[in-house]
Amino acid sequence: MAEVKSMFREVLPKQGQLSVEDVATMVLCKPKLLPLKSLTLEKLEKMQQTAQETIRQQEMAEKEQHQTNQ
């Protein structure tokens, strides 16, 4: 390893305890993409759309049946 000369000199105590201060640094990680809609919300919307389609089909069938009866 190459030594780096600095203006501070390292001093190790001959008696007592040696303590080291660790400086916390930020660790960058990959961004996590979150869905704009949750899976539950998407399922509910799909159920609602199928229910509305079913109602439309039933209404159309009733109209056709009503027109054929006249």
Side-chain angles (χ1 to χ4, degrees), residues 22-39:
D22 190 22
V23 178
T25 58
M26 289 182 57
V27 177
L28 299 177
C29 60
K30 290 182 181 178
K32 295 178 181 164
L33 297 176
L34 298 175
L36 295 176
K37 293 183 180 179
S38 68
L39 292 175

Side-chain angles (χ1 to χ4, degrees), residues 54-68:
T54 306
I55 290 172
R56 284 187 196 132
Q57 289 174 357
Q58 288 175 353
E59 287 175 349
M60 293 294 277
E62 286 178 7
K63 284 182 182 178
E64 287 177 6
Q65 189 179 25
H66 185 66
Q67 287 177 355
T68 55

Side-chain angles (χ1 to χ4, degrees), residues 6-17:
S6 67
M7 52 190 231
F8 297 108
R9 189 172 55 99
E10 184 177 309
V11 178
L12 295 173
K14 297 193 185 331
Q15 295 179 14
Q17 294 182 339

